[in-house]
Amino acid sequence: MNPASDEVLMAAVRADDLDQLVPLFERYHGPLFNYLTRLTNDRETSEDLTQTVFERILKYRSSYQPTQPFKAWVYQMARNVHADYWQRKEKLRAADVDEVERTGGLRGAAFSQMRVSSHHDDLHEALALLPPAQREILVLNRFQGFGYEEIGKLLGCTAEAARVKAHRALQALRKIYFAGG
């Protein structure tokens, strides 16, 4: 017996057959966790974000259109969860900077924020040093197996533009990676 497709399972979840989320969780928990770990460079945060993705699948299940690929829909949701996380983090960081400026300890905080590992020979570290948009496109393409057509749809650009962005991100990664050598 062939397992049900992601789209069939999600259509059932959308129709309130919530047990059908179990096979989707089993299929996507690991890949989504890996995707978010590579974006955040933090396993604990990624576990929380992955859990949030599945909570949102339940919460927004009625917004799923059975004609759209589930994989694209769930990764768009993961992108949104990640973006929300960074927006919250930036607001907290801005509040911390305001507090430090008010209390006069900006220099110490700035130096502690600037600590960056000098070991550029680790690919994972180099990836973490890329700007978020470049890191995301490489993670989608190289680690998650998305094609340029799929990436283009996720990012709202053409497949060719996605290919060019991926190529530029790879060049930037090489520059960072080999800078330490």
Side-chain angles (χ1 to χ4, degrees):
M1 185 169 108
N2 286 339
S5 73
D6 297 341
E7 291 74 20
V8 167
L9 291 170
M10 189 57 208
V13 171
R14 185 174 187 246
D16 294 329
D17 182 357
L18 303 185
D19 291 340
Q20 299 308 309
L21 187 59
V22 172
L24 289 171
F25 179 86
E26 290 170 352
R27 290 177 193 175
Y28 284 92
H29 180 269
L32 287 170
F33 172 75
N34 290 336
Y35 168 69
L36 291 165
T37 299
R38 287 188 174 102
L39 292 181
T40 64
N41 207 25
D42 181 327
R43 293 182 63 81
E44 189 174 316
T45 297
S46 299
E47 189 61 50
D48 292 344
L49 296 180
T50 303
Q51 192 65 37
T52 301
V53 170
F54 284 96
E55 289 168 4
R56 286 191 185 181
I57 288 172
L58 282 176
K59 183 175 181 180
Y60 299 113
R61 65 185 177 270
S62 63
S63 72
Y64 175 73
Q65 298 302 314
T67 55
Q68 81 184 111
F70 175 77
K71 182 179 178 183
W73 185 74
V74 77
Y75 272 86
Q76 183 61 54
M77 195 168 291
R79 290 182 77 226
N80 293 343
V81 165
H82 179 254
D84 292 348
Y85 164 76
W86 281 110
Q87 285 177 342
R88 282 191 312 275
K89 191 170 179 162
E90 285 302 314
K91 284 180 185 174
L92 290 173
R93 186 175 295 138
D96 288 346
V97 168
D98 289 346
E99 174 65 18
V100 168
E101 284 177 339
R102 193 176 59 70
T103 60
L106 180 61
R107 200 165 63 170
F111 283 121
S112 69
Q113 290 273 330
M114 289 172 55
R115 282 181 298 178
V116 176
S117 172
S118 62
H119 303 291
H120 292 284
D121 56 355
D122 183 7
L123 180 60
H124 196 66
E125 276 186 43
L127 189 62
L129 293 173
L130 284 176
Q134 287 186 329
R135 182 171 54 241
E136 179 183 31
I137 201 163
L138 285 179
V139 167
L140 285 170
N141 181 247
R142 301 294 171 139
F143 298 104
Q144 298 303 125
F146 276 70
Y148 297 122
E149 189 76 31
E150 292 173 301
I151 293 171
K153 286 178 184 170
L154 271 175
L155 301 181
C157 63
T158 65
E160 180 60 21
R163 188 190 67 72
V164 169
K165 288 179 182 188
H167 177 72
R168 289 182 182 150
L170 196 54
Q171 285 180 319
L173 180 65
R174 282 186 185 121
K175 193 178 281 186
I176 292 169
Y177 184 77
F178 291 113

